[in-house]
Amino acid sequence: MQKNYTTERLLLNELNIADTDFIFELVNTAAWKKFIGDRNIHNSEDALAYTQKIIDNTNIRYWTVKLKEQQVAVGVITLIKRDYLEHRDIGFAFLPIYGKKGYAFEAATAILNDIVKGNHSSAILATTIEENDNSIKLLEKLGFSFSKKITHDGETLLLYAIATDKILINQLVNIFFNVFNNCDQKPSWETLRNCCIAETVIVKKTGLTESVYNMDSFIEPREKILNDGTITGFKENEVAEETKIIGNIAQRCSRYQKEGYFNGHYFKEYGNKFFQFIKTNSGWKINAMTWEDDPFNTIESAHSCQFE
């Protein structure tokens, strides 16, 4: 069954014969030939046969990535089960003019976030060559880690991997941070409760003192201040992380930034969160969280946002 995706800026549609001209252009770019290989596609007939071969192979899935507004094809995301790899291998290739715009990250994230749903594989893999710096940087941004060097058909490849549990935890943390966004939505406190087990313990550190919350006492002041106009245009997001997963438990050190308007005055602050997770019958859940705002935040206003 075909599966298509929509992101903020992109449309991802499974490859079809109508994409033949675009495939002809893509596989003949210098970057494709250098980093992926020359497929000897010299004319439209070659491109048609190549496209059809991909469509007919049940071990290969290609998504053509198009700009949502212009409906222009800019690249592909691939998912392949290769004979020499234990798990499926994700790949990406974009026309040079559309590089370094975040499209590959946006499209690959959409695919990764969906394929882990009900997935029984423990990891997703990716391969590249040592000279492909852009591919390596993108894989690391997506959360992949270098695994080892392998040799296939006489070529040395770098093998990268990401655990499916890591992708699921990434999703959970992104949902957590997005709950407090009141720029273009109302915070969903039920969503926050669904991210956590009922007994989750939340601790705020301020110097050598701490405030300890359960879910109700944590939500109550935030629900008020984010809904009554005290804090507007607020968003909080993760900017760096380190995650450790052992069996059905995990922890994450998260660097975050938050910004918005407190009583009409702009602020921007940074801090650190430590999450603990457990894997339940309904998926990964947060069971504890501790956070500490930077003591010397650069506040672009005389007012600091404090949820007390």
Side-chain angles (χ1 to χ4, degrees), residues 266-285:
Y266 177 76
F267 68 91
K268 186 174 185 178
E269 301 179 357
Y270 296 85
N272 301 295
K273 282 183 168 71
F274 278 91
F275 292 94
Q276 290 183 340
F277 311 89
I278 58 172
K279 195 173 188 179
T280 71
N281 287 329
S282 57
W284 285 96
K285 299 286 186 180

Side-chain angles (χ1 to χ4, degrees), residues 169-180:
I169 287 173
N170 289 348
Q171 293 177 9
L172 182 62
V173 171
N174 288 337
I175 291 170
F176 177 92
F177 277 109
N178 192 53
V179 162
F180 307 97

Side-chain angles (χ1 to χ4, degrees), residues 5-13 65-74 98 103 106:
Y5 303 91
T6 301
T7 70
E8 181 180 355
R9 300 180 294 171
L10 306 170
L11 298 172
L12 285 72
N13 297 317
V65 181
K66 294 182 179 180
L67 300 183
K68 187 187 292 184
E69 292 185 3
Q70 294 91 336
Q71 296 285 305
V72 175
V74 298
Y98 297 105
Y103 295 144
E106 186 174 328

Side-chain angles (χ1 to χ4, degrees), residues 33 118 122 149 194 214 218 258-259 264 292 305:
K33 290 184 175 181
S122 61
K149 291 184 178 182
N194 290 337
N214 59 25
F218 177 73
K258 59 185 178 181
E259 62 182 313
E292 182 177 37
C305 164

Side-chain angles (χ1 to χ4, degrees), residues 41-142:
I41 308 300
H42 303 299
N43 51 54
S44 58
E45 289 77 15
D46 292 342
L48 179 61
Y50 180 74
T51 303
Q52 189 64 59
K53 184 178 179 180
I54 292 170
I55 294 170
D56 292 341
N57 192 329
T58 57
N59 287 324
I60 300 177
R61 298 182 78 178
Y62 271 48
W63 286 268
T64 302
V65 181
K66 294 182 179 180
L67 300 183
K68 187 187 292 184
E69 292 185 3
Q70 294 91 336
Q71 296 285 305
V72 175
V74 298
V76 295
I77 302 294
T78 68
L79 192 65
I80 303 173
K81 179 60 184 77
R82 304 183 189 274
D83 292 340
Y84 59 92
L85 294 178
E86 182 180 0
H87 305 292
R88 288 179 293 176
D89 167 20
I90 193 169
F92 29 78
F94 282 69
L95 294 174
I97 193 174
Y98 297 105
K100 300 185 182 302
K101 300 181 185 295
Y103 295 144
F105 177 80
E106 186 174 328
T109 298
I111 298 296
L112 288 170
N113 282 344
D114 188 63
I115 63 176
V116 296
K117 297 175 182 177
N119 182 38
H120 299 296
S121 179
S122 61
I124 304 297
L125 305 178
T127 59
T128 187
I129 61 174
E130 203 159 5
E131 297 80 11
N132 197 344
D133 292 334
N134 288 336
S135 177
I136 292 170
K137 289 176 182 177
L138 176 55
L139 288 172
E140 291 175 345
K141 185 178 179 181
L142 288 166

